[in-house]
Amino acid sequence: MKKTVFLGVALFIIFAARPFWSLAQGIDHSGFQETEECYTCHSNTELTAEHEGKTISLFVDKEKYEASVHGGM
């Protein structure tokens, strides 16, 4: 039972996030090793992408990111 629930949750997360995977497909991110490389583009307040007919911001506030749970990664 626990394995089934875990698998269901994992599949839900994978498929729910799937639309966002295509947002950055035009850029090869595979060689990025340091967060600073991300800020090269994502520090731009005007960085956007189209998703399901809407314009979304891809800007990352460095101070907020570093203070978040993801900042230590």
Side-chain angles (χ1 to χ4, degrees), residues 12-71:
F12 174 77
I13 291 170
I14 289 169
F15 286 105
R18 191 173 178 192
F20 296 99
W21 294 341
S22 64
L23 293 177
Q25 283 183 347
I27 298 173
D28 180 12
H29 291 84
S30 64
F32 288 12
Q33 298 292 317
E34 301 294 328
T35 305
E36 289 302 319
E37 292 175 287
C38 302
Y39 294 128
T40 301
C41 296
H42 290 278
S43 64
N44 179 353
T45 58
E46 296 181 14
L47 182 64
T48 60
E50 293 292 319
H51 178 66
E52 295 181 359
K54 295 180 182 178
T55 301
I56 61 169
S57 174
L58 299 178
F59 166 72
V60 175
D61 183 303
K62 185 176 181 177
E63 289 180 16
K64 287 182 181 179
Y65 174 81
E66 290 177 352
S68 77
V69 297
H70 304 286

